Amino acid sequence: IAICEGKSYNFGGKDLTEAGIYYDTTMRGGSLCDSITELHLTIKDTIIPVISCDDNICIDTSEANTILSISQTTPAAGYTYFWTVGVDGTIQEGQGTGTITSLWTSLGDKVISVEMEKDGCRSTQQKIIHVRPKPMASITALEEPVCPNVGSVDIVGNTTETTAEYTYTWGGTLSFRGV
């Protein structure tokens, strides 16, 4: 008999969860041995899926959708995969494989899950990802003239989204042109 990892098999009134050889004796008439049953129990390996993708993705709300690739971190030979991506998500490609491409058309928290199955053994994993609007940065400078090597200028970065934490990376070279 073979059972899936994490399951049990009842033999002789005992729930068995480990591989091994087990015996059960059937008694008749109090002390007379009627039969001895031998059980060879094996455990089928079950891989616990781990979903690999960013926890936060940004979509451009001016576009109809954004596509995200999601994968099971340790694809295993012989397993089948069944993915779900929530009510407003659509799997574009890869259902039944270890990697999918998904599309969402709205913002918010999304529950993605994958179920792996092999030889009747199943394992499932879920992950919550946060679909946020792509930040649109704007830079506001002083309206006063700025002279090279004199004074200072304030540069302020703003986003249109206030519910998520964003970081700014400033780069580039300031240049001045004569007027």
Side-chain angles (χ1 to χ4, degrees):
I1 300 284
I3 62 172
C4 300
E5 187 176 8
K7 302 294 181 184
S8 64
Y9 182 80
N10 189 292
F11 180 68
K14 297 176 186 168
D15 288 329
L16 306 175
T17 59
E18 295 181 13
I21 300 173
Y22 297 91
Y23 299 94
D24 183 43
T25 304
T26 304
M27 303 300 281
R28 183 173 43 120
S31 61
L32 298 174
C33 177
D34 181 38
S35 62
I36 297 175
T37 306
E38 181 178 275
L39 171 71
H40 293 258
L41 184 65
T42 58
I43 307 296
K44 298 178 193 176
D45 289 335
T46 302
I47 294 178
I48 304 298
V50 178
I51 298 171
S52 175
C53 68
D54 289 333
D55 291 342
N56 295 289
I57 64 166
C58 297
I59 65 173
D60 185 340
T61 54
S62 68
E63 296 175 1
N65 54 64
T66 294
I67 295 175
L68 170 68
S69 289
I70 304 164
S71 63
Q72 203 299 103
T73 56
T74 52
Y79 279 83
T80 58
Y81 299 83
F82 180 75
W83 293 87
T84 59
V85 293
V87 293
D88 65 340
T90 304
I91 297 171
Q92 298 298 299
E93 60 184 49
Q95 183 65 279
T97 70
T99 301
I100 61 168
T101 300
S102 182
L103 171 143
W104 282 277
T105 57
S106 67
L107 305 175
D109 291 348
K110 312 298 179 185
V111 177
I112 54 177
S113 67
V114 62
E115 178 183 270
M116 295 175 61
E117 189 273 331
K118 180 179 179 181
D119 298 330
C121 296
R122 289 183 172 88
S123 57
T124 303
Q125 187 61 265
Q126 290 185 340
K127 182 173 184 171
I128 296 175
I129 62 169
H130 313 286
V131 179
R132 305 187 189 283
K134 188 182 294 183
M136 302 303 289
S138 63
I139 297 176
T140 306
L142 301 174
E143 291 189 25
E144 303 171 14
V146 178
C147 299
N149 302 318
V150 178
S152 63
V153 63
D154 291 329
I155 299 176
V156 180
N158 298 305
T159 67
T160 56
E161 170 64 28
T162 59
T163 61
E165 293 184 22
Y166 293 99
T167 57
Y168 299 95
T169 302
W170 299 101
T173 303
L174 293 176
S175 62
F176 297 91
R177 62 180 171 90
V179 281

